[in-house]
Amino acid sequence: MSGHTHGDIDWADRLAQLRMADALDAAALAPVARRLLGSVGERPTVVDVGCGAGGMSVLFARELARGGGGTVVLLDATPKLLAEAGRAVGEVAGESVEVVGLLGDLTDPALDVPAADLVWASGVLHHVGDQQAALRTLGGLLRPGGVLAISEGGLEMRCLPWELGVGRPGLEQRLLAARASWFERMRAGIPGSVAMPYGWPRALREAGLHDVESFGALIDHPMPGSDLLREYVVHRVGWFAESAGEWLAADDRAAVAALTDPRSPDFLGHRDDLYLFGAKAIHCGRLR
Ligand SMILES: C[S@@+](CC[C@H](N)C(=O)[O-])C[C@H]1O[C@@H](n2cnc3c(N)ncnc32)[C@H](O)[C@@H]1O
């Protein structure tokens, strides 16, 4: 079941892909969780906004369980994802970490969220119409001294060789270009969509936060890659073509159909030269 979000994406339908991405991103994001928790006090309350399948909250909970404990609040508008995140975080939380699940829309001014020492929002702000207003709302969840950290932008993942033996070389570049067109239309189609013609660090400052900084987390899974990586790449390529197919030429659509069909000799799942290489950008600021 899809929850109440602002675009026309069926988030519940994305569960398998979100879970795979969580597993593949964990090694790169564990140090990010440690770094962010190191910037707030003991026994913090951490709110994961748009938590999806809960991958980052699992890392927060693990780190808190190793230290002095704390509270992890999961907030998502999609019931199925919130339930999955609760299950995943519950498995690692132990006695010292309290886990709270909240079903809600991050733009709801009446949202009843405990005062937070750390608010984390990854890949969700770009799905609301007024991103600047949403940042202000999230900043308003912080206690004085608290940190708002968002993961937005960065370098798009690459996973395919340049030549695949089917279709024209350079398919991945064209998939990414098509996806960028999809993104543009997705943003324009969100009710109440507002332009934000500047970058996230400035947006954090506009939201009243201080000591704003950005850093990157490298996602690097070299070829030949695991079975999980192959499965993820098959999903990702199929999803790009499905969502952005109208911006692809017919021969590229045909190539993707062959690459994602387990009965095809060109099936990506049979390759030993897939990889995952990209970077997440993290931007954070503190409430004084
Ligand atoms: C791209 S996923 C990101 C999931 C996770 N944070 C990650 O980085 O993998 C976006 C998530 O935000 C949730 N979401 C989208 N719009 C929301 C809103 N307005 N309020 C709360 N959650 C929202 C979706 O249900 C989904 O779980």
Side-chain angles (χ1 to χ4, degrees):
M1 183 181 124
S2 181
H4 174 76
T5 52
H6 298 232
D8 57 4
I9 298 170
D10 183 346
W11 287 110
D13 205 38
R14 308 247 45 85
L15 172 59
Q17 207 175 342
L18 287 172
R19 240 197 232 135
M20 285 188 265
D22 282 350
L24 290 163
D25 293 350
L29 290 180
V32 175
R34 207 167 302 134
R35 173 173 173 163
L36 293 174
L37 288 175
S39 69
V40 297
E42 287 290 295
R43 293 197 59 77
T45 295
V46 180
V47 181
D48 185 352
V49 177
C51 60
M56 190 63 173
S57 273
V58 164
L59 304 175
F60 284 135
R62 230 183 236 141
E63 195 61 26
L64 290 174
R66 259 193 227 119
T71 301
V72 175
V73 180
L74 303 163
L75 169 68
D76 205 284
T78 306
K80 187 172 169 185
L81 296 183
L82 186 64
E84 168 61 12
R87 186 202 60 73
V89 179
E91 274 180 10
V92 301
E95 302 250 300
S96 63
V97 180
E98 188 188 357
V99 183
V100 179
L102 289 178
L103 183 66
D105 180 338
L106 73 93
T107 65
D108 179 358
L111 206 59
D112 190 15
V113 179
D117 301 288
L118 174 61
V119 172
W120 167 259
S122 165
V124 62
L125 282 164
H126 64 256
H127 291 294
V128 304
D130 190 340
Q131 302 168 103
Q132 182 66 75
L135 271 181
R136 275 193 209 99
T137 304
L138 297 188
L141 304 179
L142 294 170
R143 292 191 175 112
V147 170
L148 170 58
I150 65 170
S151 174
E152 290 286 348
L155 298 175
E156 275 283 5
M157 298 298 151
R158 305 293 162 123
C159 47
L160 301 178
W162 172 254
E163 279 192 57
L164 290 156
V166 55
R168 276 175 291 144
L171 174 67
E172 183 158 47
Q173 311 280 34
R174 296 190 295 281
L175 283 174
L176 291 172
R179 185 73 184 161
S181 297
W182 169 87
F183 186 87
E184 186 185 350
R185 193 178 65 188
M186 184 278 291
R187 283 266 348 129
I190 298 174
S193 188
V194 173
M196 195 182 80
Y198 44 83
W200 291 103
R202 176 163 155 202
L204 283 166
R205 286 196 296 274
E206 298 274 339
L209 297 158
H210 299 267
D211 308 329
V212 172
E213 60 169 350
S214 302
F215 57 96
L218 186 71
I219 311 289
D220 182 11
H221 295 278
M223 59 184 78
S226 59
D227 288 345
L228 173 68
L229 183 139
R230 274 185 284 279
E231 195 184 346
Y232 177 73
V233 170
V234 170
H235 266 78
R236 179 178 165 88
V237 169
W239 183 44
F240 274 26
E242 189 189 313
S243 57
E246 66 195 89
W247 289 280
L248 288 173
D251 64 336
D252 281 340
R253 287 202 301 271
V256 170
L259 292 165
T260 55
D261 178 357
R263 292 157 307 179
S264 158
D266 298 312
F267 182 49
L268 286 173
H270 296 146
R271 299 186 75 110
D272 63 1
D273 55 0
L274 304 181
Y275 60 96
L276 204 57
F277 193 78
K280 291 187 180 284
I282 292 119
H283 312 279
C284 46
R286 192 181 292 277
L287 185 69
R288 283 199 179 142

